[in-house]
């Protein structure tokens, strides 16, 4: 109805799901149109029918609440439809006629936010690098600091190089977003992909440099390693980032 929508379904892996004051839900309003038949809704606080489902116990980022959100005949007024009913009807009509080729709004939002996620991953990588560099300078074995061994020094050199490469990709993508330049080659995805994979690699190398100390919880690198892994999964997996980049550079819809 124009003045009310009824939402049903379950969304999993929702950050702050069920405890946030306001939820934004992307729901299917025309199944025949597939991904082009979606609309976004704001769910006001204390709306009947919306509850928290299972809360997940995660490998890393344990301070972040992640849970299912269950919608059971959730009724929201028409004013909670983002963009309004007239714009939705127009967009759906174009899609039915095969005239809509625009990127879905939710996907556009992901592409714009990916450099910020890359910056988070970069921070984890930098922390692990700096900690292991200081450790390698101070830790002595067989009469000398372990950084004097090429096996350790080369690891740190590679870590620094990869972090700086990822940082430049993140900076470029952020500059493009700030100056409203289009990500014509998937630059947003590039920054997130590189930074996420660098974070995983650097934190693993930090554990290796610290040895047994890197594997125990008295030292922070094992937690950084657990926290880093999510950056190859959320906001689009590494595989999805490669797909976005491949589609952008080729102009071909690669399934």
């Amino acid at each position: 109805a124009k003045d009310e929508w009824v939402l049903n379904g379950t969304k999993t892996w929702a950050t702050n799901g069920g405890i946030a004051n306001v939820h934004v839900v992307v729901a299917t309003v025309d199944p025949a149109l597939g991904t082009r038949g979606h609309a976004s809704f704001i769910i006001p606080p204390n709306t009947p029918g919306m509850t928290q489902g299972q809360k997940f116990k995660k490998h890393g980022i344990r301070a972040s609440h992640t849970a299912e959100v269950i919608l059971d005949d959730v009724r929201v007024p028409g004013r909670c439809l983002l963009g309004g009913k007239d714009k939705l009807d127009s967009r759906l009509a174009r899609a039915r006629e095969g005239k809509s080729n625009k990127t879905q709004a939710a996907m556009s939002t992901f592409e714009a936010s990916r450099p910020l996620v890359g910056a988070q991953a970069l921070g984890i990588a930098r922390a692990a690098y700096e900690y292991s560099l200081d450790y390698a300078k101070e830790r002595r074995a067989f009469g000398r600091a372990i950084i004097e061994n090429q096996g350790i020094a080369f690891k740190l050199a590679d870590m620094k190089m990869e972090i700086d490469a990822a940082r430049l990709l993140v900076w470029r993508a952020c500059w493009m977003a700030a100056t409203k330049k289009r990500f014509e080659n998937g630059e947003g995805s590039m920054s997130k992909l590189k930074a996420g994979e660098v974070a995983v690699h650097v934190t693993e190398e930090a554990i290796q440099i610290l040895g047994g100390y890197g594997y125990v919880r008295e030292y922070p690198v094992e937690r950084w390693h657990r926290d880093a892994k999510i950056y190859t999964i959320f906001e689009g997996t590494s595989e999805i980032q490669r797909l976005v980049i491949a589609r952008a550079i080729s102009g071909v819809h690669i399934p």
Side-chain angles (χ1 to χ4, degrees), residues 22-222:
V22 177
H23 291 71
V24 177
V25 174
V26 179
T28 300
V29 295
D30 190 335
L33 294 176
T35 58
R36 294 182 296 171
H38 291 173
S40 298
F41 301 87
I42 295 177
I43 312 298
N46 303 316
T47 299
M50 190 185 73
T51 58
Q52 177 187 308
Q54 176 187 2
K55 180 180 177 182
F56 297 103
K57 297 180 179 179
K58 303 186 299 298
H59 174 66
I61 59 168
R62 295 179 182 178
S64 175
H65 174 98
T66 308
E68 294 176 329
V69 176
I70 300 171
L71 299 100
D72 184 12
D73 285 339
V74 174
R75 295 179 178 272
V76 295
R79 67 177 185 277
C80 291
L81 171 64
L82 286 173
K85 185 70 161 54
D86 291 341
K87 285 187 178 180
L88 173 63
D89 288 342
S90 177
R91 179 166 59 81
L92 294 179
R94 291 197 307 272
R96 294 186 187 105
E97 295 172 3
K99 297 180 180 178
S100 178
N101 294 314
K102 292 183 178 180
T103 305
Q104 186 185 349
M107 294 300 102
S108 298
T109 301
F110 274 134
E111 182 66 5
S113 67
R114 279 168 180 157
L116 304 180
V117 178
Q120 296 173 23
L122 196 59
I124 295 174
R126 180 179 171 184
Y129 162 74
E130 291 178 355
Y131 193 94
S132 54
L133 175 62
D134 288 343
Y135 178 88
K137 290 177 178 178
E138 296 173 3
R139 178 76 165 92
R140 300 185 66 83
F142 305 105
R144 61 180 181 178
I146 63 172
I147 199 171
E148 295 179 34
N149 299 307
Q150 284 188 0
I152 300 297
F154 286 3
K155 283 184 185 295
L156 289 161
D158 285 343
M159 290 158 72
K160 175 61 173 173
M161 177 181 64
E162 291 296 321
I163 288 170
D164 279 4
R167 178 183 286 114
L168 290 172
L169 284 172
V170 169
W171 281 356
R172 180 183 69 173
C174 289
W175 171 78
M176 291 179 71
T179 55
K180 302 187 185 306
K181 297 184 184 298
R182 292 183 59 192
F183 292 150
E184 294 184 352
N185 295 300
E187 289 88 350
S189 290
M190 287 184 191
S191 67
K192 191 266 184 183
L193 170 62
K194 181 64 174 176
E197 295 197 343
V198 164
V200 172
H201 172 70
V202 167
T203 53
E204 183 172 355
E205 291 288 70
I207 291 176
Q208 200 70 17
I209 290 170
L210 268 70
Y213 292 118
Y215 202 68
V216 297
R217 294 196 174 183
E218 284 79 5
Y219 288 73
V221 291
E222 65 84 28

